[in-house]
């Protein structure tokens, strides 16, 4: 809350506005103080309608953040201008990545996982606003990209990442790993489905990173192996 309080009256909509908006939205979830919701709403209103969320990098890096804000301040948005304009925009992004002009790069783990994550998070957040479209995007993100043939579960978790070793190196893969667990938490809390059920992947990752850590100080140092994916 101290971070939210420090930013609630800050007019800056700079580079980290998405993160800052999530802090405000989280503070609203905890306190139900509408100051935080109003600040979060203003930040997404000032930014999302000019965002480029069609390129895969942009979609991966920042376009999921306003969806989280939307979900966490949903009741406030309903009472202050409505939600439809946000849903329309989020579904425009989803429709693009559901039928992209270029094929999904299954061999690029962060690309594959990020597209799945974005579609799944958006579908859960907007399901009651537009359930037919949301159900389709959810099915594509979860049933096809995650559990489908050659998808995240089959190709990554049970094949090339088996044993917990981070495919794209000890440093770059940190981001990819975060995408996995963010998606897992969203699906578990929103749908009651554990995508890691009957999988030893999380435990394997813990053991793998322990083996990669230096036995000497600084203990946070990990062996800088290269990009095994490529």
């Amino acid at each position: 809350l101290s971070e939210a309080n420090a930013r609630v009256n800050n007019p800056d909509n700079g580079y980290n506005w998405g993160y800052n908006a999530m802090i405000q939205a989280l503070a609203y979830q905890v306190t139900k103080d509408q100051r935080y919701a109003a600040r979060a709403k203003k930040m997404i209103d000032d930014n999302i309608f000019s965002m480029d969320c069609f390129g895969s990098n942009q979609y991966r890096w920042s376009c999921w953040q306003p969806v989280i804000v939307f979900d966490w301040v949903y009741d406030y948005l309903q009472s202050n201008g409505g939600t439809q304009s946000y849903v329309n925009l989020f579904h425009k992004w989803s429709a693009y990545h559901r039928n992209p002009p270029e094929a999904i790069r299954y061999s690029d783990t962060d690309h594959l996982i990020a597209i799945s994550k974005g579609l799944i998070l958006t579908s859960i957040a907007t399901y009651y606003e537009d359930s037919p479209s949301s159900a389709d995007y959810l099915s594509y993100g979860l049933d096809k990209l995650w559990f489908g043939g050659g998808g995240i579960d089959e190709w990554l978790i049970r094949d090339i990442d088996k044993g917990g070793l981070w495919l794209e190196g000890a440093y770059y893969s940190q981001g990819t790993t975060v995408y996995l667990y963010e998606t897992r938490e969203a699906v578990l809390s929103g749908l009651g489905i554990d995508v890691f059920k009957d999988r030893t992947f999380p435990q394997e990752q813990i053991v793998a990173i322990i083996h990669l850590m230096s036995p000497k100080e600084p203990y946070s140092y990990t062996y800088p192996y290269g990009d095994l994916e490529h």
Side-chain angles (χ1 to χ4, degrees):
L1 285 178
S2 60
E3 186 172 357
N5 287 330
R7 299 175 185 275
V8 70
N9 295 315
N10 185 351
D12 180 27
N13 282 327
Y15 181 78
N16 292 319
W17 75 265
Y19 169 80
N20 295 334
M22 287 197 298
I23 293 295
Q24 298 298 318
L26 180 59
Y28 174 67
Q29 276 285 303
V30 173
T31 66
K32 293 303 178 184
D33 186 332
Q34 292 195 354
R35 290 183 307 144
Y36 302 121
R39 180 63 184 137
K41 180 182 185 302
K42 186 175 190 315
M43 294 177 81
I44 60 174
D45 286 349
D46 286 349
N47 290 279
I48 64 170
F49 297 102
S50 60
M51 290 179 74
D52 175 8
C53 290
F54 300 106
S56 60
N57 283 341
Q58 298 93 316
Y59 191 66
R60 176 169 79 241
W61 292 332
S62 58
C63 295
W64 57 275
Q65 294 174 327
V67 175
I68 296 294
V69 175
F70 171 87
D71 187 57
W72 287 351
V73 300
Y74 180 77
D75 59 338
Y76 179 84
L77 296 176
Q78 281 186 306
S79 303
N80 291 270
T83 58
Q84 195 59 52
S85 61
Y86 307 107
V87 174
N88 292 343
L89 180 64
F90 296 155
H91 280 205
K92 184 182 294 185
W93 299 343
S94 293
Y96 178 88
H97 293 285
R98 168 64 176 82
N99 297 286
E102 298 180 358
I104 295 288
R105 301 195 305 272
Y106 277 81
S107 62
D108 187 341
T109 55
D110 56 344
H111 173 77
L112 173 64
I113 297 166
I115 299 300
S116 174
K117 167 191 163 182
L119 290 169
I120 290 171
L121 264 61
T122 302
S123 299
I124 293 172
T126 63
Y127 194 86
Y128 292 106
E129 296 280 342
D130 184 355
S131 56
S133 297
S134 294
D136 177 60
Y137 302 142
L138 178 62
S139 177
Y140 186 78
L142 188 60
D143 298 333
K144 180 175 175 59
L145 297 184
W146 194 287
F147 287 116
I152 295 165
D153 182 68
E154 179 182 271
W155 174 72
L156 175 66
I157 293 174
R158 292 190 287 144
D159 187 0
I160 59 174
D161 214 11
K162 187 175 182 179
L165 197 61
W166 295 1
L167 289 180
E168 296 181 281
Y171 299 134
Y172 191 85
S173 277
Q174 293 179 45
T176 305
T177 301
V178 169
Y179 299 156
L180 282 172
Y181 288 99
E182 286 173 337
T183 307
R184 186 256 183 178
E185 292 303 310
V187 174
L188 185 61
S189 63
L191 304 175
I193 299 171
D194 187 353
V195 295
F196 289 153
K197 184 180 180 181
D198 302 324
R199 301 286 179 261
T200 58
F201 178 77
Q203 295 88 340
E204 291 169 351
Q205 281 213 310
I206 293 171
V207 173
I209 197 66
I210 290 173
H211 282 293
L212 288 170
M213 291 174 66
S214 170
K216 298 181 180 180
E217 294 186 14
Y219 299 113
S220 60
Y221 173 82
T222 54
Y223 177 70
Y225 64 92
D227 185 347
L228 302 182
E229 180 180 81
H230 299 101

